[in-house]
Amino acid sequence: MSQFSFTAEELSALVARKSQLNAPNQEIQHLLTDSRKITDAKSSVFFALKGSRDAHQYIPALYRAGVRTFIISDLSFNVTDFSEGNFIWVADTTLAMQEIAKAHRCKFAYPVIAVTGSNGKTIVKEWLYQLLAPDYDIVRSPKSYNSQIGVPLSVWQMSDDYNLAIFEAGISSGNEMEHLAAIIKPDIGVLTNIGAAHDEGFASRDEKLHEKLKLFKNARLVVINQQFKDALEPSKNTFTWSLNDETADLYVVKITHKISFTSIHAKYKNEEISVNIPFSSLASIENAVICWAVLLSQNIAQVQIEKRMQKLLQVKMRLELKTGINQSAIIDDSYNSDFSSLDIALDFLNQQNQYPTKTLILSDIHQSGKANDELYRDVAMLLTNKGVDRFIGIGADLKRFSSVFPVHSVFYNSTDEFIENFRSSDFKNETILLKGSRDFGFERISKMLTQKVHETVMEINLNAILANLKHYKAKLRPGVKLMAMVKAFAYGSGSDEIANLLQHHRVDYLAVAYADEGVALRQAGIKVPIMVLSPEVSSFESIVEHNLEPELYSPRILDAFVDFLNSKNAQFYPIHIKVDTGMHRLGFDFKDIDALIVKLKTNTSVLVKSVFSHLVASDNDAHNSFTLKQISDFELFVNRLQSNLDYTFLRHILNTSGISRWPQAQFEMVRLGIGLYGIESIDTEKALLEPVVSLKTTISQIKELEKGETVGYSRKGVMQHKGKTATVKIGYADGYPRALGNGVGKMLVNGVLAPTIGNICMDMTMLDISGIETSEGDDVIVFGEGFSVYDLAEQLDTIPYEVITNISQRVKRVYYYE
Ligand SMILES: *Cc1c(COP(=O)(O)O)cnc(C)c1O
C-alpha cells in the first residue's frame, strides 16, 4: 500500500460539509467516477458526479460490490442501510474531487510538466514521455485525460515510484483553466498550437489563448511559440521556438523531406543543429520542434536528442474493435502498454456483451516505474477485479511471475512462440483484448485473429457517437427520455456494437425496424427496452419471446396482436401506439380514436407504454406551420386517449432535427436517429456534431495509359490525356453506386480528389490519378476527413441517410475508441 494514500477520515477533513464515517480508517487508493469501472472496491472512493442522471442511485449497488466510501451532494440521501459506509457530503462533487487531487499533488516535489493547446496535446505528451523515458521514471495522463475530471484522475496517479510527471490540460470554455492549474501546479508549461478546436466556447482566439496561458501562472518556465510570448507576463521565464521568427531561442531554418524521414534544421545559441524524425506532416514537425525545445530547455545533450528523435513512434491512442475469427470480437490496443491504459482497455472489454467469454492477451509491461513483482501482482489483481475469464501472457517477465495469475492462464516467452503454437480453433465465442508493448509486435497476432475481408473498411468513431449523444442530451429538459434509433444496421454502423455502446451509456430505449433486428440485439446481450417499428403478424411469436415492444399502427395490427396475446393469456404486454398526423405512412387516424379507446379499455393484455407520431419536415422552415399543426394534432390525440385510460404513457414526436428545432415538443421522450451518427440537415447544427463514419478502400493496381486508351466495361472511360489510373477495391456491390461512374464521383487520393473513370464495376472502381503521388496498397478515402458524406450525397443527388445505409454489410466495420 502506498504511503501516499488517504484515509476516509482525511478525505472528510479535506472536503466535507458534513460526514458520517463508519470506517474512518479505510485507506483510499482509487477515485471512482463510473459505477461500472471498479478496480478495487474497498479502497475506492465513489464520487456521485452530476451528469444527466443522478449518480446517487448507484450507491446501493456499489455498496454491495464492496465500495465503502462515498462523496455525495444529496443531503436527503438516506444512509441508514449502509452500516459500514463512509459518507461525505459536499456542495459540488467535481470540485471535491479536484480538492482531493490538489492535496495529493502537494505531497510531491518532483517536476511536473503541463501541456496545453488546441491540437497536439496528447502527441506532445506521449512524445515527451518517449524522449525523456531514458532519464526519468515518468507518470503521465492516461490517453487524453485532460478535462475537469480527467486531470484529477491523472494527478491522482502520482506516487514516489516516479520522479517526473507530464500531464495535459484541455478546456472547452472560459474559467476552466484556473481549476486545472491549481490541481496540476506545473513547474514547466508547454503550449502547443492555438487552432479552431472549441472556438465556440470563447469570444475570440485571443481570449482562448489567454485562458490557456492561465495554466502557466506559477510555472517557472514556459516553452512557447515565439508568436505568443507577448501574451505572457514580461517577467515570465520562457524558451521560445519558431518556424519563421529568428529571434526565437530555437529557430527552424530549413525542413527537408527525405523518403522515410524529415530533417529539421534550426539555429540555437548561434549554432546550427538538426534532428531527423520519421514523420512528414507539418503538424508532426511542429510537435517535434516543441519537444525539441523542451529537451533543450532541460539541458539534454543535442547528441542524445538526435538519437531519440529519430526513433519517435507514432502515437496511436485508439482502441479498435473488429470482427474476429470463429464468432469473436477483437479489441486491438497493441500500440502501448502500461498499467493505466490496461485498466481503461479492460473497462472497454467489460462493456462488450456480444460474446460470453472475455479474454486478455497481454505482453510484458515496460517502464512502469514499479518493481516487477509489485507490478504483476497489481496486474493479476486487476484481472480478477475486472472479471477477465481467460488470460494469455506473452513475455519473459510475465512468465517469470506466472504464479500470481489464475491457474488456467497460459504463458509464452515471446510473440513468436505464441504464433508457432497458434490454433485458430482455440479462439471462439469470445471478446479478445490484445494489449502489447510496441516491441512485441502484436499486430501479427491481430492479423491472425481478425477476419480477412477485402480491404475496404468503414471506420466508426465511438467517441464521436458519444459526443453526439451528449450534444443532443444537453438539449433535453431534465427527465426527458431518449430513444436511440438503431434501425437499418444502426444507419449502416453496425447494430450490435452501437447498441452495446448506447446501452452502456444508458439510453432509455432502442428502436429497430423489424423483429429479427431486435432478436439479434437480444442475442448480443442488449437488455434495454426495444421498440419494433414494423412488426409483422408472423413475427409476434418472436417479439414476445424476446421481450420486444411492437409499434402498433392500425386497427388491423392492434387487433391481431391483442388476439395473439389473448391466446397466450398474456397480461399488460408493453406496446406503442403510432398516430398519423400528416406523414400518411403508418399510424392510427383520428377517425380510429373511439374504437382504439374501447379496444384499450377492454383488453388488459396490452399496456400502452407510449404514444407517438412522426414529423414530416422537422428540418424545413418552409413547413413550419405544418409542423406546428402536426404537434397540436398529436396533443389533441394523446389528450383524448390519456383522459380515457387510467394509467399514463410516454409521448414522443421529435426525430433528430426535431430535437434541434422544436424544443417545446419534447414531451416525455425523443427519438434520436441520424444525429447520433454525426449527420444533420440543419446547417448550424452540422458544425457542432462530430463525424462518426468514414469509408476507406485501397489501391490494388496503378496503370500508365496513353491518351485515347479506354478504361472499364463498354469502353466508357476514355483517357483525355496521357496519365495514370488506380483500381480500388470498392464497387457497386459494396454500396458505391454505379451512378458515380464516368467522373461523377470522386475519391480522395493522398489528399487530392480523383474522379472515377469508366463505369463502376461490381467490386472495383477505376480512378484517374494523373498527377497524384501515390502507390499501390495506399489508402483511398471514399468519404471521411477531407471529403464528407455530405459531399458524396451531393454528387449522387441524394441525402446522407441513403449513402450510409447503402454500404454493404460485406464491408468490414472497424470501431475505434480514443
Ligand atoms: C428513423 C426514424 C426516426 C429517426 O429519424 P432521424 O431523422 O434519423 O433522427 C424517428 N422516428 C421514426 C418513427 C423513424 O422511423
Side-chain angles (χ1 to χ4, degrees):
M1 192 147 296
S2 160
Q3 58 182 293
F4 293 108
S5 60
F6 291 80
T7 62
E9 191 167 24
E10 285 166 340
L11 291 189
S12 173
L14 274 173
V15 296
R17 296 171 107 184
K18 169 182 138 178
S19 62
Q20 177 174 324
L21 305 177
N22 295 317
N25 295 326
Q26 175 60 51
E27 294 232 24
I28 302 300
Q29 301 278 357
H30 302 277
L31 307 185
L32 187 61
T33 58
D34 182 327
S35 59
R36 296 154 301 192
K37 297 185 176 173
I38 300 177
T39 301
D40 179 28
K42 213 162 183 245
S43 66
S44 296
V45 53
F46 177 72
F47 293 83
L49 296 180
K50 285 209 198 76
S52 53
R53 287 187 194 233
D54 186 352
H56 291 82
Q57 66 181 296
Y58 307 118
I59 291 171
L62 284 161
Y63 188 83
R64 280 195 297 281
V67 177
R68 287 295 171 262
T69 309
F70 300 89
I71 296 197
I72 65 178
S73 57
D74 182 357
L75 286 168
S76 63
F77 188 82
N78 184 350
V79 302
T80 43
D81 290 344
F82 309 100
S83 58
E84 293 165 29
N86 296 314
F87 288 87
I88 299 167
W89 280 267
V90 299
D92 181 320
T93 45
T94 307
L95 288 181
M97 182 157 84
Q98 297 182 344
E99 282 307 317
I100 289 167
K102 276 182 215 169
H104 184 71
R105 163 72 182 88
C106 288
K107 295 177 176 180
F108 304 95
Y110 53 79
V112 173
I113 301 177
V115 184
T116 192
S118 306
N119 311 102
K121 292 186 284 294
T122 304
I123 294 175
V124 167
K125 177 203 68 188
E126 289 295 317
W127 277 359
L128 284 176
Y129 169 77
Q130 291 175 20
L131 294 164
L132 291 166
D135 303 316
Y136 297 94
D137 293 319
I138 304 170
V139 56
R140 69 198 199 278
S141 320
K143 302 211 169 247
S144 305
Y145 276 32
N146 60 33
S147 67
Q148 298 289 314
I149 290 170
V151 166
L153 292 175
S154 301
V155 168
W156 181 258
Q157 299 180 103
M158 291 179 81
S159 79
D160 59 350
D161 293 327
Y162 307 103
N163 53 26
L164 176 69
I166 311 176
F167 299 126
E168 50 179 297
I171 51 172
S172 51
S173 63
N175 304 320
E176 290 184 347
M177 195 55 101
E178 272 167 293
H179 293 285
L180 301 185
I183 305 165
I184 301 177
K185 279 200 202 335
D187 298 284
I188 299 161
V190 179
L191 183 72
T192 67
N193 75 354
I194 298 288
H198 296 296
D199 261 359
E200 66 280 1
F202 300 89
S204 65
R205 289 274 163 94
D206 223 35
E207 183 193 308
K208 190 158 73 173
L209 173 66
H210 278 98
E211 180 68 21
K212 288 191 194 292
L213 293 180
K214 285 183 186 164
L215 180 60
F216 308 142
K217 192 151 177 277
N218 295 310
R220 61 177 158 78
L221 173 71
V222 177
V223 177
I224 191 167
N225 186 332
Q226 175 72 33
Q227 151 190 21
F228 299 129
K229 182 182 163 145
D230 290 344
L232 292 165
E233 302 152 50
S235 61
K236 186 62 89 184
N237 190 12
T238 59
F239 188 106
T240 63
W241 58 272
S242 180
L243 303 191
N244 46 40
D245 182 340
E246 57 187 356
T247 63
D249 294 315
L250 180 67
Y251 165 50
V252 174
V253 289
K254 196 170 71 179
I255 296 166
T256 46
H257 292 278
K258 304 284 169 56
I259 291 170
S260 59
F261 63 94
T262 304
S263 293
I264 312 172
H265 303 265
K267 263 191 56 195
Y268 173 61
K269 292 189 171 165
N270 290 323
E271 272 180 53
E272 190 165 320
I273 56 176
S274 70
V275 292
N276 295 332
I277 59 166
F279 300 94
S280 60
S281 73
L282 186 61
S284 305
I285 292 168
E286 214 176 80
N287 291 332
V289 170
I290 294 168
C291 293
W292 193 7
V294 174
L295 268 63
L296 289 171
S297 79
Q298 298 308 302
N299 300 317
I300 309 249
Q302 171 63 21
V303 282
Q304 289 299 331
I305 298 178
E306 281 166 32
K307 274 194 205 141
R308 294 176 196 175
M309 284 274 210
Q310 69 188 17
K311 288 197 230 137
L312 277 179
L313 297 169
Q314 198 192 349
V315 174
K316 206 167 162 182
M317 283 285 125
R318 71 190 223 180
L319 287 166
E320 288 187 343
L321 174 63
K322 306 176 192 173
T323 310
I325 54 170
N326 311 330
Q327 297 286 337
S328 68
I330 310 301
I331 300 171
D332 194 342
D333 193 13
S334 51
Y335 287 85
N336 59 71
S337 183
D338 55 64
F339 192 79
S340 60
S341 74
L342 175 63
D343 196 355
I344 293 167
L346 285 171
D347 286 330
F348 188 64
L349 175 66
N350 259 328
Q351 288 176 30
Q352 309 305 320
N353 299 305
Q354 296 92 313
Y355 302 107
T357 305
K358 296 187 162 81
T359 302
L360 169 65
I361 304 180
L362 178 74
S363 80
D364 285 351
I365 297 176
H366 300 317
Q367 290 171 337
S368 72
K370 282 187 184 170
N372 274 343
D373 56 344
E374 193 187 343
L375 171 69
Y376 291 110
R377 228 180 313 114
D378 286 353
V379 170
M381 187 188 80
L382 191 64
L383 304 196
T384 312
N385 290 340
K386 299 278 181 187
V388 170
D389 302 301
R390 181 175 177 204
F391 178 63
I392 297 169
I394 298 180
D397 291 347
L398 272 165
K399 195 156 184 171
R400 187 160 340 112
F401 291 97
S402 59
S403 62
V404 302
F405 289 93
V407 279
H408 47 271
S409 304
V410 179
F411 294 86
Y412 299 94
N413 275 310
S414 64
T415 305
D416 285 332
E417 191 183 311
F418 172 86
I419 289 172
E420 278 159 31
N421 291 285
F422 177 81
R423 279 195 325 224
S424 62
S425 59
D426 289 344
F427 295 90
K428 53 174 174 288
N429 267 314
E430 57 201 302
T431 306
I432 304 165
L433 169 61
L434 272 175
K435 185 89 185 124
S437 302
R438 201 71 71 109
D439 46 340
F440 277 82
F442 269 22
E443 54 276 6
R444 290 184 292 155
I445 301 180
S446 169
K447 273 211 182 98
M448 297 191 319
L449 288 171
T450 40
Q451 248 180 29
K452 288 176 189 55
V453 198
H454 69 306
E455 292 149 65
T456 297
V457 290
M458 186 156 163
E459 293 191 331
I460 293 132
N461 180 339
L462 298 179
N463 299 82
I465 293 190
L466 294 180
N468 297 334
L469 177 65
K470 200 167 151 195
H471 170 79
Y472 287 99
K473 273 191 169 172
K475 295 178 189 285
L476 303 184
R477 273 183 285 108
V480 173
K481 293 186 188 311
L482 189 138
M483 173 183 274
M485 310 307 279
V486 292
K487 62 191 182 190
F489 199 50
Y491 290 57
S493 293
S495 324
D496 296 2
E497 293 81 1
I498 303 300
N500 192 70
L501 179 79
L502 295 169
Q503 165 169 280
H504 188 78
H505 288 272
R506 302 190 169 112
V507 302
D508 302 283
Y509 256 96
L510 294 173
V512 294
Y514 296 102
D516 54 357
E517 295 177 303
V519 172
L521 289 183
R522 287 282 180 255
Q523 282 160 353
I526 302 299
K527 305 266 182 332
V528 178
I530 299 175
M531 180 168 93
V532 178
L533 295 163
S534 297
E536 288 130 1
V537 175
S538 61
S539 65
F540 287 168
E541 192 77 52
S542 76
I543 284 187
V544 171
E545 185 186 341
H546 294 94
N547 202 10
L548 306 171
E549 305 179 8
E551 160 192 325
L552 300 175
Y553 51 81
S554 70
R556 175 189 62 85
I557 192 94
L558 174 62
D559 290 354
F561 195 60
V562 166
D563 290 347
F564 174 79
L565 291 174
N566 287 341
S567 75
K568 301 254 155 192
N569 290 321
Q571 285 286 302
F572 308 119
Y573 195 86
I575 61 165
H576 302 265
I577 298 290
K578 173 77 159 288
V579 186
D580 185 359
T581 54
M583 178 73 133
H584 302 327
R585 187 170 67 178
L586 296 178
F588 281 87
D589 296 319
F590 275 82
K591 66 175 171 47
D592 303 323
I593 196 162
D594 292 318
L596 175 64
I597 289 169
V598 171
K599 191 86 191 172
L600 294 175
K601 281 179 83 120
T602 51
N603 280 286
T604 52
S605 55
V606 289
L607 181 91
V608 178
K609 284 292 284 285
S610 86
V611 179
F612 72 105
S613 189
H614 198 34
L615 298 175
V616 304
S618 58
D619 57 342
N620 192 337
D621 283 348
H623 298 295
N624 280 356
S625 55
F626 191 83
T627 302
L628 287 167
K629 176 84 167 60
Q630 278 195 284
I631 294 170
S632 61
D633 284 352
F634 175 62
E635 274 191 286
L636 284 177
F637 195 105
V638 287
N639 288 347
R640 185 67 200 288
L641 201 56
Q642 187 63 79
S643 60
N644 283 283
L645 293 182
D646 53 12
Y647 58 90
T648 56
F649 48 77
L650 304 169
R651 301 167 299 166
H652 44 113
I653 195 167
L654 299 181
N655 67 335
T656 298
S657 32
I659 300 172
S660 299
R661 293 194 61 231
W662 303 99
Q664 69 273 39
Q666 291 174 1
F667 297 101
E668 289 79 40
M669 186 151 80
V670 297
R671 300 188 303 275
L672 178 61
I674 194 107
L676 203 47
Y677 309 95
I679 298 169
E680 253 275 12
S681 355
I682 299 166
D683 284 329
T684 50
E685 288 290 307
K686 277 181 191 168
L688 304 176
L689 295 182
E690 293 193 18
V692 170
V693 210
S694 54
L695 184 63
K696 286 184 187 155
T697 184
T698 47
I699 298 178
S700 309
Q701 195 173 18
I702 292 178
K703 290 188 181 290
E704 311 265 351
L705 297 177
E706 297 298 327
K707 179 174 176 180
E709 286 195 88
T710 65
V711 179
Y713 284 121
S714 309
R715 309 191 63 204
K716 282 283 190 199
V718 182
M719 290 298 285
Q720 301 298 330
H721 45 78
K722 181 178 158 71
K724 288 186 300 182
T725 62
T727 304
V728 295
K729 299 180 183 182
I730 185 170
Y732 57 78
D734 298 294
Y736 192 72
R738 204 162 164 280
L740 289 170
N742 298 300
V744 176
K746 295 186 173 64
M747 296 184 199
L748 207 52
V749 181
N750 193 14
V752 183
L753 278 178
T756 59
I757 178 164
N759 287 328
I760 309 290
C761 310
M762 188 183 288
D763 311 307
M764 284 175 261
T765 294
M766 282 71 86
L767 302 172
D768 183 346
I769 56 157
S770 306
I772 303 176
E773 281 302 318
T774 188
S775 323
E776 292 179 358
D778 281 0
D779 279 349
V780 168
I781 295 176
V782 183
F783 63 80
E785 201 181 337
F787 186 67
S788 72
V789 65
Y790 299 106
D791 298 330
L792 184 60
E794 199 173 306
Q795 287 177 352
L796 270 169
D797 201 14
T798 184
I799 51 176
Y801 291 76
E802 186 180 348
V803 175
I804 56 172
T805 55
N806 264 350
I807 305 305
S808 150
Q809 299 224 14
R810 84 171 183 193
V811 172
K812 183 159 71 164
R813 267 68 175 173
V814 172
Y815 302 86
Y816 64 96
Y817 190 75
E818 287 171 324

